[in-house]
Amino acid sequence: MRRIQVTETTENKDLVQEEKNVQSENEVEVGQETELTIEEQYEAKLAELQAKLDDEENRHLRLRADFDNIRRRSQLDREAAEKYRAQSLLSDLLPVIDNFERALQVEATSEETASIVKGIEMVYRSLIEATEKEGLQIIKAEGEQFDPNVHQAVMQEQDSEKETGVVLRELQKGYMLKDRVLRPTMVSVNE
């Protein structure tokens, strides 16, 4: 029996020795891994911080571009508001101008009506001068080629002496404010 114990003890010693060897190898490896892990951790942390920095720089650049776009857009809006500030007023005055033109078409039969027509004409001229100072322009139509951007065709007529698509008659004047159409000209177009 003693022999068995010695064998077991020897085997135990061998096992213990193997475990010690494995432990010491593991300790060496763990020590190396710990050193590598710390370096790797620093590198990982550095990479993480660099990625955050890049993200923040990109975010900053996008915000700055957005700010520049907003500033540019607001500047354009201010310029357009200044350029077309009288649009609403001029649109409201167009029927008044039409009524003055109708009044001026009346023939004066007496001296009294002639003086009234002359007074209406003076008021009409001063109104037209004031609107022209704001940028109101009459759209030319008669004899021009039909342009759907500035003309509104309400009827067609036939005149063999003129080309197809030419405006034959102006039925209602059209007006532009600088480069915007306030009201298109109502026209009759040649077939």
Side-chain angles (χ1 to χ4, degrees), residues 173-185:
K173 282 187 179 178
Y175 295 92
M176 292 184 75
L177 175 60
K178 300 184 178 165
D179 56 354
R180 281 187 185 171
V181 175
L182 286 182
R183 182 176 76 187
T185 307

Side-chain angles (χ1 to χ4, degrees), residues 136-186:
L136 188 71
Q137 303 165 358
I138 297 173
I139 299 172
K140 297 186 181 197
E142 208 166 304
E144 300 286 323
Q145 189 67 28
F146 176 75
D147 181 1
N149 297 318
V150 294
H151 300 134
Q152 179 181 0
V154 292
M155 57 188 295
Q156 287 186 332
E157 296 177 333
Q158 192 168 8
D159 186 354
S160 59
E161 295 177 8
K162 298 195 177 180
E163 294 179 27
T164 303
V166 171
V167 175
L168 297 177
R169 286 189 301 147
E170 179 180 270
L171 304 173
Q172 183 183 36
K173 282 187 179 178
Y175 295 92
M176 292 184 75
L177 175 60
K178 300 184 178 165
D179 56 354
R180 281 187 185 171
V181 175
L182 286 182
R183 182 176 76 187
T185 307
M186 285 192 202

Side-chain angles (χ1 to χ4, degrees), residues 51-165:
K52 283 183 181 180
L53 178 64
D54 291 343
D55 288 345
E56 289 300 319
E57 284 178 352
N58 287 336
R59 185 173 157 264
H60 172 73
L61 291 175
R62 283 191 303 272
L63 287 173
R64 184 165 183 169
D66 287 345
F67 177 75
D68 289 342
N69 289 338
I70 289 169
R71 189 180 69 223
R72 192 174 317 120
R73 181 68 182 165
S74 67
Q75 177 66 26
L76 291 174
D77 289 346
R78 278 193 306 273
E79 289 172 2
E82 177 63 28
K83 185 176 182 181
Y84 301 112
R85 72 184 185 284
Q87 180 174 347
S88 177
L89 176 64
L90 291 175
S91 293
D92 292 341
L93 286 177
L94 293 182
V96 174
I97 292 171
D98 292 338
N99 289 333
F100 271 114
E101 289 172 350
R102 284 187 204 102
L104 290 173
Q105 290 175 354
V106 173
E107 290 185 33
T109 55
S110 69
E111 191 175 306
E112 190 176 297
T113 56
S115 66
I116 291 173
V117 169
K118 186 174 182 179
I120 291 173
E121 186 176 333
M122 290 171 57
V123 172
Y124 172 74
R125 283 186 189 156
S126 63
L127 180 63
I128 292 298
E129 286 174 11
T131 58
E132 285 176 349
K133 285 180 185 176
E134 288 298 320
L136 188 71
Q137 303 165 358
I138 297 173
I139 299 172
K140 297 186 181 197
E142 208 166 304
E144 300 286 323
Q145 189 67 28
F146 176 75
D147 181 1
N149 297 318
V150 294
H151 300 134
Q152 179 181 0
V154 292
M155 57 188 295
Q156 287 186 332
E157 296 177 333
Q158 192 168 8
D159 186 354
S160 59
E161 295 177 8
K162 298 195 177 180
E163 294 179 27
T164 303

